[in-house]
Amino acid sequence: AFPECEWHGADPVSETIVWARENLPKISFIASPQRPPIPYADSYFDGVYAISVWSHFREDVALEWFTEMHRIIAPNGFLAFTAPGYTKAANQLRGKPEILPKIERRIQRLQKTGYAFGSTHKAKGPLDNQFWGSTELTLTWVVKNLVGPWSLRKLVPAGNRLQQDIYILQRV
């Protein structure tokens, strides 16, 4: 799709990059670090898509990556990202009412801070589970922490598979 565009992909799991390079030869892939910086020049991209990426960062690391995206995206460029919010909790509860106590704790964290993180990956895996796990965030958190350097252009609640909200930010 869009052959006139230059496409890039990045992932911290090197096995994913090996597969991508073998199966998507017209796209340039790099194994990215788990924390910034990423090896691209300032204002290199007109836009970045990050589907189910911010659904995994601890809050401080998420903010580091938003700052890094601001650096590598050109002025007026966009960042489209997805992250779970309240809809994920509601959908999980709908399927398994017995997990209500777990859902309640997450919702309370979301209400209090707008951000909930839980380490979910095994220490033996390729990712450092100190700052890589399962995250949910709210529109309130996005506005509080990102609006200023970014303009919120669009929000599609539960727009990604009814599990994650889609945010479109424009670099200011």
Side-chain angles (χ1 to χ4, degrees), residues 3-159:
E4 69 280 5
C5 293
E6 181 180 310
W7 293 96
H8 295 262
D11 195 276
V13 179
S14 58
E15 293 84 12
T16 302
I17 297 304
V18 170
W19 180 93
R21 287 177 178 157
E22 290 172 357
N23 291 279
L24 303 163
K26 294 184 180 184
I27 299 174
S28 174
F29 289 97
I30 64 162
S32 65
Q34 289 186 23
R35 296 184 89 155
I38 196 165
Y40 293 107
D42 294 356
S43 301
Y44 187 80
F45 294 104
D46 293 322
V48 170
Y49 293 91
I51 308 304
S52 197
V53 173
W54 269 271
S55 53
H56 297 289
F57 293 133
R58 192 177 68 196
E59 185 174 16
D60 59 328
V61 178
L63 290 169
E64 289 174 13
W65 278 111
F66 280 118
T67 298
E68 182 68 355
M69 292 299 103
H70 193 270
R71 180 187 72 78
I72 66 172
I73 294 172
N76 296 315
F78 72 89
L79 171 61
F81 77 96
T82 66
Y86 290 114
T87 302
K88 177 182 176 185
N91 286 338
Q92 288 176 327
L93 183 58
R94 189 175 299 118
K96 298 177 183 175
E98 67 274 9
I99 65 171
L100 179 59
K102 183 179 179 183
I103 299 294
E104 286 177 325
R105 286 191 299 273
R106 268 191 0 235
I107 290 173
Q108 288 169 353
R109 279 187 299 200
L110 282 172
Q111 289 173 326
K112 183 176 181 180
T113 68
Y115 206 95
F117 172 81
S119 179
T120 58
H121 295 278
K122 296 177 182 176
K124 292 181 181 179
L127 302 173
D128 185 337
N129 66 355
Q130 292 181 64
F131 50 82
W132 187 266
S134 181
T135 296
E136 291 131 0
L137 58 89
T138 65
L139 173 60
T140 302
W141 185 90
V142 169
V143 170
K144 176 185 172 191
N145 289 283
L146 303 179
V147 171
W150 299 96
S151 171
L152 178 60
R153 304 300 292 169
K154 188 168 187 161
L155 167 63
V156 182

